[in-house]
Amino acid sequence: MKGAYRDPVDHSRTTQPHAGESFIDTLWLPGLLSIALGVLGVAGFIAAIAYRHLELLPPLGLLTAALMVAGFALITAEHHRVNRVERRWLAEHPDRRPQLPAH
């Protein structure tokens, strides 16, 4: 992919320019990794409950929640960046309006 960091939007081959955005734009990876660690934290939280290690619940719960919130915040911030890049590209190419899907 040419310059996926600078312009991860597919302008020419689809009527859905953000399809596959998470695969093209590698800046999603920190957010996805944070969410994956948060899911592991949920598993650890459930295991701590199962083994009655109640002293681990507050720190594990806070860490898990922080990882999940941070992951979703990173993904949201990156999606907003992609939208800004798309708006700038559309402003620079006024002749190329996005195609609407045919019904």
Side-chain angles (χ1 to χ4, degrees):
M1 219 54 236
K2 63 161 188 61
Y5 168 75
R6 287 189 280 315
D7 191 5
V9 179
D10 189 357
H11 298 286
S12 60
R13 292 179 290 183
T14 182
T15 57
Q16 299 177 354
H18 294 278
E21 179 181 331
S22 62
F23 295 111
I24 296 169
D25 187 10
T26 57
L27 294 178
W28 275 49
L29 291 178
L32 293 175
L33 180 63
S34 179
I35 291 172
L37 290 174
V39 169
L40 289 175
V42 169
F45 190 82
I46 292 171
I49 292 172
Y51 288 111
R52 297 179 194 230
H53 288 286
L54 303 180
E55 70 279 0
L56 295 176
L57 295 183
L60 199 53
L62 288 174
L63 179 64
T64 298
L67 284 169
M68 296 289 255
V69 168
F72 285 116
L74 287 169
I75 287 174
T76 301
E78 179 56 19
H79 183 68
H80 286 292
R81 184 192 74 82
V82 169
N83 284 338
R84 280 193 313 271
V85 167
E86 181 181 26
R87 283 192 304 271
R88 188 173 357 140
W89 188 88
L90 288 172
E92 292 172 358
H93 301 87
D95 55 326
R96 299 280 314 261
R97 287 290 145 199
Q99 298 173 342
L100 297 176
H103 289 144

